[in-house]
Amino acid sequence: MSNQKRKVKRHPPIPKSCRFCGSEVIKKSNAEFYGRLIKGNLYCCTNCDARVGIHDGGSVPKGTLANTEIRNARKHVHALFDRIWKEGWLSRKEAYKRMAKELDIPSQECHIGWFDVPECRKAWKAAAKIYREVCSR
Ligand SMILES: [Zn+2]
């Protein structure tokens, strides 16, 4: 039996080149990127508008590199999904567990920041279903 096989990737790889246009991806501070005083850092493409935030105090990306379309799709999912736990229907952890179950993926892979547009569509539908269910209890 090999432990290697069961090893789970806990975060997406640090992007070195853009998955949309192939150009170099660099790390920048949010302040430098946005031209405003925002804490934190991000990875951004040197050619197109693809980017992803970095978890505080390290180099681990918060998700996969996203273009505008994907960023909007993720925001759309968060807007609905976050209500499930922000309104107190479920704990945040429980909400993610339910979402993973609906999407039929392991819960350690259930991060909206890892989803592309088709996955976001499924996730939005799943969130809507969960929301309906918890509200009608
Ligand atoms: Zn790019």
Side-chain angles (χ1 to χ4, degrees), residues 6-136:
R6 294 197 314 198
K7 218 179 219 173
V8 176
K9 262 192 195 162
R10 292 193 185 280
H11 64 79
I14 292 168
K16 299 285 179 210
S17 64
C18 178
R19 64 194 182 103
F20 303 102
C21 75
S23 299
E24 190 192 359
V25 171
I26 56 167
K27 187 176 177 176
K28 269 191 181 177
S29 69
N30 283 334
E32 189 187 353
F33 185 84
Y34 293 104
R36 281 181 283 147
L37 279 174
I38 308 170
K39 285 204 292 188
N41 300 296
L42 51 67
Y43 293 110
C44 60
C45 176
T46 50
N47 178 58
C48 73
D49 73 345
R51 58 184 188 257
V52 65
I54 299 173
H55 283 292
D56 286 341
S59 55
V60 176
K62 288 181 177 172
T64 54
L65 210 62
N67 57 15
T68 305
E69 190 190 11
I70 295 170
R71 277 198 300 276
N72 287 339
R74 288 175 185 172
K75 273 183 208 158
H76 194 55
V77 178
H78 268 300
L80 176 60
F81 176 76
D82 292 356
R83 285 174 60 184
I84 298 168
W85 56 272
K86 281 185 178 167
E87 292 174 7
W89 301 101
L90 296 172
S91 69
R92 189 167 182 268
K93 198 179 166 191
E94 187 62 32
Y96 272 99
K97 259 169 88 178
R98 285 278 291 270
M99 173 78 109
K101 204 178 155 203
E102 285 294 331
L103 297 175
D104 200 23
I105 59 174
S107 51
Q108 62 268 32
E109 286 172 24
C110 189
H111 301 286
I112 293 162
W114 297 18
F115 296 167
D116 286 338
V117 172
E119 292 156 329
C120 282
R121 282 202 193 102
K122 283 187 217 159
W124 192 90
K125 282 182 193 158
K129 181 170 180 261
I130 297 165
Y131 194 76
R132 272 198 308 275
E133 285 170 5
V134 293
C135 286
S136 61

